[in-house]
Amino acid sequence: MVPTDGTANEPPRRCGAAHLDDPSPCEGDREVVRIVIGEDEVLGCVHHGTRLYASVEHARVYPVGGPDGPNADAVLAVRRGAVGMEPFFWMVPAGPPERKPRHRLPGLHGFGFRRTS
């Protein structure tokens, strides 16, 4: 069963790290990592946390529940998954990757991510 926000016509809820233009669903628990950018932070699944971490400069990632908690391995999954990932991966057209400069965003404001704080 996929959780919704209340009505049968609403799309499934997604984690706070899911970009509004990224159509992919969450994978696993929606609150396993905390991504911090400056004074902003969002909770997310590993899938969308990885995409956010690869797309925003100076992002930091922490496990929900602390470094000794049940989500400690999620941080490694996010960091490893982001290595070599294009920023805004869901917007990259299919086919062989083009060699172009890598542009990462400086923060969350105005870029389609929801804040949790």
Side-chain angles (χ1 to χ4, degrees):
M1 180 175 163
V2 179
T4 66
D5 289 325
T7 69
N9 295 331
E10 291 183 10
R13 288 183 292 168
R14 298 189 306 155
C15 69
H19 191 281
L20 298 176
D21 294 332
D22 181 355
S24 65
C26 290
E27 293 177 6
D29 189 350
R30 288 180 287 146
E31 295 184 349
V32 294
V33 293
R34 184 170 53 98
I35 309 287
V36 178
I37 300 111
E39 295 181 16
D40 296 321
E41 66 178 55
V42 294
L43 299 178
C45 67
V46 170
H47 174 73
H48 291 114
T50 299
R51 290 176 173 211
L52 174 57
Y53 188 69
S55 300
V56 180
E57 287 183 336
H58 310 295
R60 297 180 317 275
V61 59
Y62 302 99
V64 172
D68 297 324
N71 300 314
D73 290 344
V75 172
L76 294 175
V78 166
R79 288 182 179 158
R80 287 180 181 152
V83 173
M85 179 181 281
E86 282 287 322
F88 294 93
F89 180 76
W90 60 95
M91 299 175 95
V92 177
E98 298 177 20
R99 293 286 180 197
K100 57 186 173 186
R102 198 176 147 110
H103 297 287
R104 296 175 74 193
L105 295 177
L108 287 177
H109 299 294
F111 299 108
F113 294 99
R114 297 179 299 271
R115 293 178 62 178
T116 59
S117 57

